[in-house]
Amino acid sequence: MEKDEKPTNSNGADVKEISEGLATIWTKGAVFYNPVQEFNRDLSIAVISSFIHDYKQEIKITKKGEAGTEDYKVTILEALSATGLRSIRYAKEIPGVAKVIANDISLTAVEDIKQNVIKNNVEQIVSARHCDASMLMYQHRHKNEQFDIIDLDPYGCPSQFLDSTVQAVKEGGLLLITATDMAILCGNSPETCYSKYGAIPIKIKSCHEMAVRILLQCIELHANRYSRYIVPLLSLSADFYIRVFVRVFSGAQKCKFSATKLSHIYHCTGCDSFTLQLLVTVKSDKSNHKFSIPTGPLVSKHCEQCKHPHHIGGPIWSAPIHSPEFVKKVLDNVPSSLKTYKRIEGILNVVLEELVDVPLYYTLDKLSGTLHVEMPSMMALRSALLNAGYHVSFTHMNKTSIKTDAPKKVVWDIMRCWARTHPVAQKRLIQGTPAFNILSIEPEKDYSFKIHPHANPESRKKGFLRFQENPTPHWGPGCRATIMVGEQKIQKSVRNQGKRKRETSEEGVDK
Ligand SMILES: C[S@@+](CC[C@H](N)C(=O)[O-])C[C@H]1O[C@@H](n2cnc3c(N)ncnc32)[C@H](O)[C@@H]1O
Ligand SMILES: [Zn+2]
């Protein structure tokens, strides 16, 4: 086929032409393309660009003098490529990429990739492969054949690819991994989540962060089998999926620390409070490390605040999920030409404000909903925590989120103080309910809701696009072999998008 010749599919009808970033692709409709994922692809371009800059510097320093390190050539594998769009964009938009392999198991997809590569003039950089992703990665698990960067963007769950992925990436290399099976990761069927990810999810308000942490523990466990471990650079929950960016390193000694980065969760079924219990603790004295099993449980049989029982979930990754230094570099270098630049800028600014050592979060609506009280403004609740000497932040995952290092007792005492001035209707205070039990306990002191000078975060003051707008057309993970651009196909889903949200309007929560 000539470069400018437009292909037709078997029944002679035109194929779809799609432009995104610097790429223009054709796809026959049997191959997956989801326009909502443009944010995912834009962000990946920004992350890989920053990563390559640092990675090349590291290679120059650690392998000084070795041949070929002066202008190190980076190779990317897109293991599940569909149309090749992502690979083509990586080749055209990321400086310093020498080679991209765009692989897919579907022959139709590989035909699309080949034709798109020619159309975009990137034959020198991008090559198509038709292979099972795991098989391809196993073929590249030896040192000189590994990839610097591997992108895994599956339908649903990535876990079946992880064993090969953690072996096929170079020392210090980067993995970009998406999971779209959010219902499973967020606790809809714990037994399925266990069989896929090796962890029990909990139905908790901070389920999106728990999902990210389950995926990270799953990648870590796979890496540990080969004396490797991960260092998360950035971990996001966006739209209908999660996406993590992690580096992989080797070292049996370092792997001993993996169990100190994982925790079980005790989750109160009455008030949504949570307590994390590490799998293993470590006491370090210079280079001596003493690992021990902690005693537990860290909670009583019934929650001390609301007297309801706990569920036990996990293990989840409980170490930091982002590297603020890295995120800052990405933010400083995101090309403003990217179509979703504003959203990337907004999310990364919120990420930088997140309390990095505090896993999970409360939500304003759940705290007040549990007590059946009028909802305090976000600024008032954040002020009460700050006035009491604790830290507080949002997370990019939820616009009513409250991440804090304050103990649960303090969080609930603040809500008890709020309830004194915003009393609950007596008819709602039914004996034995979480609200009744929580409000039966007197707060230890009076907490002040006077607006604190730091209650309003910089990202909000500066008016960044911090949280996702209402879902756009085509929103959703799509299914195998879907071009999500046909209006007919999406009409019902569009009609229903945000329906539940509209019914339970969250108006005013960001005040
Ligand atoms: C969600 S799509 C990828 C979308 C693409 N990364 C993008 O940004 O547009 C998943 C792709 O994985 C392919 N796939 C599924 N199982 C595979 C396997 N075992 N090996 C290789 N490709 C596979 C499917 O054919 C499909 O094209
Ligand atoms: Zn409770």
mmCIF file of all heavy atoms in Angstrom, residues 3 34 110 180 215 233 256 261:
data_model
loop_
_atom_site.group_PDB
_atom_site.id
_atom_site.type_symbol
_atom_site.label_atom_id
_atom_site.label_comp_id
_atom_site.label_asym_id
_atom_site.label_seq_id
_atom_site.Cartn_x
_atom_site.Cartn_y
_atom_site.Cartn_z
ATOM 1 N N LYS A 3 1.866 5.215 0.822
ATOM 2 C CA LYS A 3 1.723 5.984 2.061
ATOM 3 C C LYS A 3 0.405 6.757 2.147
ATOM 4 O O LYS A 3 -0.225 6.830 3.171
ATOM 5 C CB LYS A 3 2.864 6.985 2.165
ATOM 6 C CG LYS A 3 4.119 6.402 2.789
ATOM 7 C CD LYS A 3 5.045 7.548 3.149
ATOM 8 C CE LYS A 3 6.496 7.135 3.318
ATOM 9 N NZ LYS A 3 6.840 6.110 4.167
ATOM 10 N N ASN A 34 -9.701 3.562 21.875
ATOM 11 C CA ASN A 34 -10.561 4.281 22.809
ATOM 12 C C ASN A 34 -10.060 5.716 22.968
ATOM 13 O O ASN A 34 -8.989 5.957 23.531
ATOM 14 C CB ASN A 34 -10.551 3.568 24.171
ATOM 15 C CG ASN A 34 -11.566 4.163 25.128
ATOM 16 O OD1 ASN A 34 -12.120 5.233 24.869
ATOM 17 N ND2 ASN A 34 -11.823 3.477 26.220
ATOM 18 N N VAL A 110 -2.224 -6.412 13.907
ATOM 19 C CA VAL A 110 -0.854 -6.300 13.389
ATOM 20 C C VAL A 110 -0.859 -5.716 11.972
ATOM 21 O O VAL A 110 -0.002 -4.901 11.621
ATOM 22 C CB VAL A 110 -0.128 -7.668 13.449
ATOM 23 C CG1 VAL A 110 1.256 -7.581 12.824
ATOM 24 C CG2 VAL A 110 -0.025 -8.134 14.898
ATOM 25 N N THR A 180 -7.987 -2.191 34.168
ATOM 26 C CA THR A 180 -9.320 -1.570 34.014
ATOM 27 C C THR A 180 -10.408 -2.355 34.750
ATOM 28 O O THR A 180 -11.574 -1.981 34.690
ATOM 29 C CB THR A 180 -9.720 -1.443 32.523
ATOM 30 O OG1 THR A 180 -9.872 -2.743 31.969
ATOM 31 C CG2 THR A 180 -8.704 -0.663 31.716
ATOM 32 N N LEU A 215 -2.525 -3.494 43.066
ATOM 33 C CA LEU A 215 -1.740 -3.741 41.843
ATOM 34 C C LEU A 215 -0.241 -3.642 42.138
ATOM 35 O O LEU A 215 0.548 -4.486 41.692
ATOM 36 C CB LEU A 215 -2.156 -2.739 40.749
ATOM 37 C CG LEU A 215 -1.352 -2.790 39.451
ATOM 38 C CD1 LEU A 215 -1.398 -4.186 38.810
ATOM 39 C CD2 LEU A 215 -1.849 -1.750 38.442
ATOM 40 N N LEU A 233 7.022 5.359 40.736
ATOM 41 C CA LEU A 233 7.309 6.763 40.402
ATOM 42 C C LEU A 233 6.032 7.587 40.442
ATOM 43 O O LEU A 233 6.024 8.723 40.903
ATOM 44 C CB LEU A 233 7.917 6.860 38.995
ATOM 45 C CG LEU A 233 9.274 6.186 38.791
ATOM 46 C CD1 LEU A 233 9.757 6.411 37.365
ATOM 47 C CD2 LEU A 233 10.298 6.709 39.782
ATOM 48 N N LYS A 256 14.411 -8.293 50.829
ATOM 49 C CA LYS A 256 13.992 -8.596 52.207
ATOM 50 C C LYS A 256 13.072 -7.502 52.750
ATOM 51 O O LYS A 256 12.294 -7.732 53.658
ATOM 52 C CB LYS A 256 15.222 -8.681 53.109
ATOM 53 C CG LYS A 256 16.080 -9.904 52.897
ATOM 54 C CD LYS A 256 17.153 -9.902 53.937
ATOM 55 C CE LYS A 256 17.964 -11.178 53.851
ATOM 56 N NZ LYS A 256 18.737 -11.369 55.073
ATOM 57 N N LYS A 261 6.924 -3.335 53.259
ATOM 58 C CA LYS A 261 6.190 -2.314 52.483
ATOM 59 C C LYS A 261 4.757 -2.753 52.227
ATOM 60 O O LYS A 261 4.063 -2.159 51.411
ATOM 61 C CB LYS A 261 6.888 -2.093 51.130
ATOM 62 C CG LYS A 261 8.324 -1.609 51.249
ATOM 63 C CD LYS A 261 8.931 -1.521 49.863
ATOM 64 C CE LYS A 261 10.431 -1.587 49.880
ATOM 65 N NZ LYS A 261 10.987 -1.926 48.573
#
